[in-house]
Amino acid sequence: MASLAHALEQLLLPAECLVCHRLLGRQFSDDLVCRVCRLRWRPVRPPWCERCGQPEPHFGPCRLCRAWPGALTVARSAVWLEGGARRAVHALKYDGLSRVGRDMAAVVAKLVERPPAEAVLVPIPLGAKRRARRGYNQSEALAAALAQLWGLTNRPELLVRTRDTPTQTALTPAARLANVAGAFAIQNAELRMQNGSRAYHSAFNILRSPLVLIDDVFTTGATLAEAARALANAGCQSISAVTFGRASIPDFT
Ligand SMILES: [Zn+2]
Ligand SMILES: [Zn+2]
């Protein structure tokens, strides 16, 4: 089914870059964003807060990550959310192009340090309604591609969103925190094994691994912090976070 959807997408899409509309060579026809555009995406670089990766100059303790749960020790983003990178996120989120996740993951894998081999990726879940409307979860698409590139396990079933939270776009940092409070929970999952049999996979076992939260965009970190809080409350002791994009926060000084 996935390969049929892939083949249909290939037929329907012209083989041109999503951002600059340059025609893609046949060997790159699986890409949605050309290599030139990807190289233009501006990496987030140090100096930054060692914990949250925010490159603002800091005098005294960082305000952005001071209220994070202790288990969330580090967050990094690959590129600034601007220009073509913003266009790619938009395509992933709103244009039904889950395959852009692979192009974005390639850039993340190049710019962000690979987590340790025992780490498990955990994409930030969507609420049930939003997921149904979109047909997929964009963070899950990104995490699946990253898991492949990094050779790590991806566990999209571990974390669930207990309610559909309103979109964060228009909210101040404080309002964002309130908006996502208590929005996540852990679930045990029945997993389909490779040989077709089913096994009950206890969330407890996964929580003993270092977990890496995956999201498309980091704005204030409120969503990541809240997801980390749910994982920490369930017993996870080592949590980090990786996002593709980082948005600058206009009202954060
Ligand atoms: Zn391009
Ligand atoms: Zn910080």
Side-chain angles (χ1 to χ4, degrees), residues 17 19-22 33-34 36-37:
C17 170
V19 177
C20 69
H21 303 291
R22 203 190 313 252
V33 179
C34 78
V36 178
C37 282

Side-chain angles (χ1 to χ4, degrees), residues 36-209:
V36 178
C37 282
R38 284 194 227 169
L39 283 173
R40 275 200 200 116
W41 294 346
R42 191 163 62 95
V44 180
R45 292 198 194 282
W48 51 31
C49 168
E50 284 300 325
R51 190 180 189 200
C52 66
Q54 189 70 7
E56 299 297 316
H58 290 303
F59 304 96
C62 174
R63 281 182 50 209
L64 196 57
C65 60
R66 68 180 169 189
W68 284 9
L72 179 56
T73 51
V74 61
R76 291 291 181 264
S77 308
V79 299
W80 287 104
L81 191 69
E82 58 189 14
R86 185 185 292 276
R87 175 79 191 88
V89 168
H90 194 278
L92 177 66
K93 258 176 149 148
Y94 304 114
D95 298 345
L97 295 175
S98 64
R99 208 148 54 78
V100 187
R102 292 206 310 228
D103 301 50
M104 290 157 63
V107 172
V108 174
K110 210 173 74 184
L111 295 173
V112 177
E113 197 182 336
R114 181 186 175 278
E118 68 276 19
V120 171
L121 306 188
V122 178
I124 294 291
L126 285 179
K129 271 191 213 147
R130 196 164 293 158
R131 194 200 158 99
R133 225 176 12 241
R134 199 166 288 171
Y136 60 90
N137 170 6
Q138 76 277 2
S139 302
E140 206 175 310
L142 182 62
L146 262 177
Q148 220 168 35
L149 291 171
W150 274 338
L152 297 175
T153 312
N154 179 28
R155 287 275 177 252
E157 74 288 342
L158 176 68
L159 202 58
V160 288
R161 205 143 183 149
T162 51
R163 55 190 169 83
D164 274 286
T165 51
T167 176
Q168 302 260 73
T169 317
L171 301 176
T172 64
R176 281 169 180 259
L177 268 179
N179 188 35
V180 291
F184 297 99
I186 312 298
Q187 69 170 357
N188 289 311
E190 190 190 37
L191 297 178
R192 195 185 292 275
M193 310 301 278
Q194 274 180 338
N195 63 9
S197 68
R198 282 166 171 272
Y200 190 69
H201 198 118
S202 162
F204 179 76
N205 290 325
I206 308 174
L207 289 163
R208 285 190 294 199
S209 309

